[in-house]
Amino acid sequence: MKAMIFAAGLGTRLKPITDTMPKALVPVCGQPLLYHVITKLVAAGYDDLVVNVHHFPDQIIHYLHSHDFGARIAVSDERDFLRETGGGIRYAAPLLGSEPFLVHNVDIVSNLDLGWLREQHREGALVTLVASERKTQRYFLFDEDNRLKGWTNIATGEVRSPFPDIDPDRCRKLAFAGIHLMSPAIFDAFDRYGFGDRFSIVDFYLRACADYPIYAAVPPDFQLVDVGKKETLSEAERVCEAILR
């Protein structure tokens, strides 16, 4: 099975740590974030991985070449320019093939059961998004069937949706977990809407959800830490230790 790991980000919120190393190699529980994601994927049966790189790419490539994770690992090299999340997936299309694939942010530490996630992927779904009810400012908006309808920032009141009459107060508000299971049909959908080399996958979802079924999967007893800033590193250590116990 195939999976892609987003490891190309600049990690600006983790400065000054990321002044000398990529976010993917920031250690948690004695191992780089990239190690934790790869070993989780391999343990769940993902044996054909793609890792995209941009910030300190040679450090990540060296790390991958110097470790045997028991899986085929290809590098999608974006050192020429950062394509963002949607553009990164599109650029990696030749490496991802024609079967469903998982996409996982490198800075997400969680107790997600990836086998459970595969069971939640509905026939005909374009994407299954892992989401939860954790508190944040930005939420995806879903209907009663957990189908994506839009997005809101509750701090500013901004709402984005292809449905002009959407009422956020009547939608289920869920926080995206940075993990998605995708149909290969997504590449044709990118072309259909004219998305180019650089774009956010969230922007694509908020355009495509009117025409394609995109669903949320909400894991039970879900623990997640987004290691996006220094203040979350200690929390990531705690969750990581609990998972490894």
Side-chain angles (χ1 to χ4, degrees):
M1 294 187 294
K2 289 183 178 286
M4 180 175 183
I5 302 172
F6 283 146
L10 300 176
T12 52
R13 292 181 297 161
L14 279 171
K15 285 179 172 288
I17 300 172
T18 49
D19 286 337
T20 56
M21 70 168 63
K23 178 168 57 175
L25 298 186
V26 171
V28 170
C29 288
Q31 295 284 358
L33 287 166
L34 183 57
Y35 169 89
H36 293 293
V37 177
I38 290 176
T39 54
K40 184 179 185 70
L41 290 170
V42 172
Y46 290 93
D47 56 0
D48 196 346
L49 309 181
V50 176
V51 179
N52 73 339
V53 298
H54 174 79
H55 186 54
F56 293 116
D58 292 329
Q59 288 189 31
I60 296 176
I61 293 169
H62 174 75
Y63 176 79
L64 293 173
H65 287 170
S66 59
H67 292 75
D68 182 5
F69 290 101
R72 176 185 178 274
I73 302 179
V75 171
S76 182
D77 197 324
E78 297 182 34
R79 74 182 72 207
D80 54 346
F81 72 96
L82 190 59
R83 289 168 169 78
E84 299 187 34
T85 47
I89 294 168
R90 183 173 190 172
Y91 187 68
L95 302 172
L96 291 170
S98 58
E99 298 296 326
F101 58 94
L102 183 81
V103 177
H104 198 301
N105 290 5
V106 78
D107 55 3
I108 296 298
V109 176
S110 82
N111 66 345
L112 178 66
D113 181 339
L114 294 174
W116 173 89
L117 175 60
R118 289 195 295 271
E119 294 172 356
Q120 307 310 304
H121 191 63
R122 309 187 198 190
E123 184 176 357
L126 185 70
V127 182
T128 300
L129 306 171
V130 178
S132 71
E133 295 181 343
R134 64 187 171 93
K135 291 185 177 181
T136 183
Q137 292 186 345
R138 294 172 293 275
Y139 292 97
F140 277 138
L141 302 173
F142 297 90
D143 66 13
E144 65 279 359
D145 195 33
N146 281 345
R147 181 164 174 171
L148 182 64
K149 295 296 180 179
W151 174 96
T152 187
N153 183 325
I154 61 172
T156 65
E158 180 185 3
V159 176
R160 296 175 59 195
S161 173
F163 303 97
D165 58 347
I166 190 170
D167 180 355
D169 292 333
R170 302 186 66 178
C171 296
R172 187 179 188 187
K173 298 181 179 70
L174 296 173
F176 179 43
I179 304 168
H180 0 204
L181 191 57
M182 300 185 177
S183 163
I186 200 166
F187 298 114
D188 288 337
F190 290 157
D191 292 338
R192 172 181 177 180
Y193 295 112
F195 280 87
D197 294 331
R198 181 176 183 171
F199 62 95
S200 162
I201 193 64
V202 171
D203 290 345
F204 167 77
Y205 290 157
L206 295 177
R207 176 81 177 275
C209 66
D211 301 312
Y212 293 92
I214 298 173
Y215 294 102
V218 184
D221 303 317
F222 192 38
Q223 297 181 65
L224 173 145
V225 180
D226 178 350
V227 192
K229 50 188 177 181
K230 290 186 295 181
E231 293 78 7
T232 58
L233 282 171
S234 59
E235 185 182 358
E237 292 275 348
R238 177 185 59 78
V239 171
C240 176
E241 289 171 358
I243 294 169
L244 293 175
R245 217 177 275 137

